Amino acid sequence: MSSLFEKTKIKGMELKNRLVRSATHEAMADDEGFPTDRLFKLYERLSKGGVGLIITGYTYVSRDGKFKAMLGIDTDEHIPKYKELVNSVHQNGAKIAMQINHCGRQTTEKVTGTQPIAPSAVFDKSLFVMPREMTETDIERVIEAFAQSARRVKESGFDAVQLHGAHGYLISQFLCPHTNRRQDKWGGTIENRMRFVTEIYKRTRKSVGDDYPILIKISAYDHMKNGLKPEEGIVMACKLAELGFDGIEVSCGI
């Protein structure tokens, strides 16, 4: 247990201990995706409580990938407020990473104002949503949205960025054979299903530089009959490490 309280490093990010607060959806953002005073107070308590690294709740990279009361990082106007948030955490000796995300089919037209998008038009039984299959233009736009959002994360002073590739959100939807039934270069084999996250990583790395930590959260399996199985999850994790991700958080389920 003593090793939990030892210092460690993830790339150039030094942590005072190995206690990491994983991302959750706090639902403490305003209608424009800015953090509220409630979120400031929550992260203040976590940082004062001794957490080495706080990973924020998921933060949308594009308005068509948001959910209710979700943080946003889709414009440069968000940067000043996040600088304040980062400074408040740093004052208490903790580091903070932002998790960036696109909900894909796991949102509603009522929230986004448009039909949700996904790799394939597969009905979402939890939200009763039939998404629109993404075009090549959609895919390129979202890849660039991730890269630009990561740039804003770095400019805001966050110590790292984490891509949300788990729990049935858009990156996860590309990785999972149940939600990705495409017959083009974006679907089918493991390599093709990984192409979306691979391109996001490459573009993001260019936008933040070689020394900035890029993390990812993935599902090892999806608890679905035709979903991602542990055997494939292991292969994907190895390929993500080879690609250059600096940390992999493993979860499961949609």
Side-chain angles (χ1 to χ4, degrees), residues 10-254:
I10 301 177
K11 214 176 187 85
M13 175 175 59
E14 183 173 300
L15 306 178
K16 64 181 181 181
N17 57 46
R18 299 168 187 240
L19 300 177
V20 179
R21 185 270 191 175
S22 184
T24 64
H25 177 38
E26 302 98 350
M28 295 180 184
D30 66 19
D31 291 341
E32 297 301 314
F34 288 87
T36 61
D37 290 341
R38 290 176 62 210
L39 192 67
F40 271 77
K41 291 176 182 177
L42 172 62
Y43 289 172
E44 181 182 10
R45 291 199 301 272
L46 287 167
S47 57
K48 285 183 176 179
V51 174
L53 173 64
I54 296 171
I55 303 178
T56 70
Y58 64 177
T59 309
Y60 62 80
V61 300
S62 174
R63 295 296 171 106
D64 64 345
K66 64 183 290 189
F67 197 62
K68 294 178 288 186
M70 183 177 176
L71 291 169
I73 191 68
D74 61 320
T75 73
D76 287 356
E77 284 69 36
H78 287 83
I79 294 174
K81 193 68 174 180
Y82 283 127
K83 283 183 176 180
E84 295 178 24
L85 184 64
V86 169
N87 289 337
S88 69
V89 170
H90 283 171
Q91 286 174 8
N92 296 310
K95 298 296 175 67
I96 183 168
M98 176 176 276
Q99 184 188 82
I100 58 176
N101 184 38
H102 190 294
C103 288
R105 71 174 191 157
Q106 290 189 167
T107 184
T108 66
E109 187 170 349
K110 183 178 180 180
V111 174
T112 65
T114 186
Q115 184 181 5
I117 57 176
S120 304
V122 179
F123 186 69
D124 186 313
K125 295 180 180 179
S126 62
L127 292 172
F128 305 103
V129 167
M130 175 57 80
R132 173 177 64 81
E133 182 173 303
M134 295 172 71
T135 65
E136 288 280 346
T137 300
D138 292 324
I139 293 172
E140 168 59 29
R141 173 179 60 81
V142 174
I143 291 171
E144 183 62 18
F146 270 99
Q148 290 303 316
S149 294
R151 171 187 60 80
R152 296 183 189 105
V153 170
K154 184 180 180 181
E155 290 181 11
S156 299
F158 286 90
D159 301 287
V161 64
Q162 184 188 63
L163 305 184
H164 195 355
H167 302 164
Y169 295 106
L170 188 59
I171 292 176
S172 174
Q173 290 163 29
F174 271 91
L175 296 176
C176 173
H178 171 73
T179 47
N180 184 352
R181 305 180 187 182
R182 301 178 72 99
Q183 301 298 313
D184 58 7
K185 67 180 182 180
W186 304 101
T189 64
I190 290 180
E191 289 74 15
N192 282 357
R193 281 182 279 131
M194 289 188 67
R195 192 182 305 277
F196 184 65
V197 69
T198 298
E199 293 304 315
I200 290 174
Y201 172 80
K202 290 178 179 178
R203 195 85 57 89
T204 296
R205 179 55 75 195
K206 287 182 180 179
S207 72
V208 299
D210 293 336
D211 298 328
Y212 193 70
I214 302 177
L215 318 174
I216 188 168
K217 185 174 187 175
I218 61 170
S219 291
Y221 61 105
D222 293 324
H223 285 299
M224 302 184 73
K225 180 179 179 182
N226 298 314
L228 189 67
K229 300 297 188 292
E231 294 78 11
E232 279 194 321
I234 292 170
V235 171
M236 287 182 174
C238 291
K239 289 182 178 294
L240 292 170
E242 292 170 1
L243 187 60
F245 279 98
D246 301 298
I248 300 174
E249 179 183 352
V250 181
S251 189
C252 64
I254 289 182

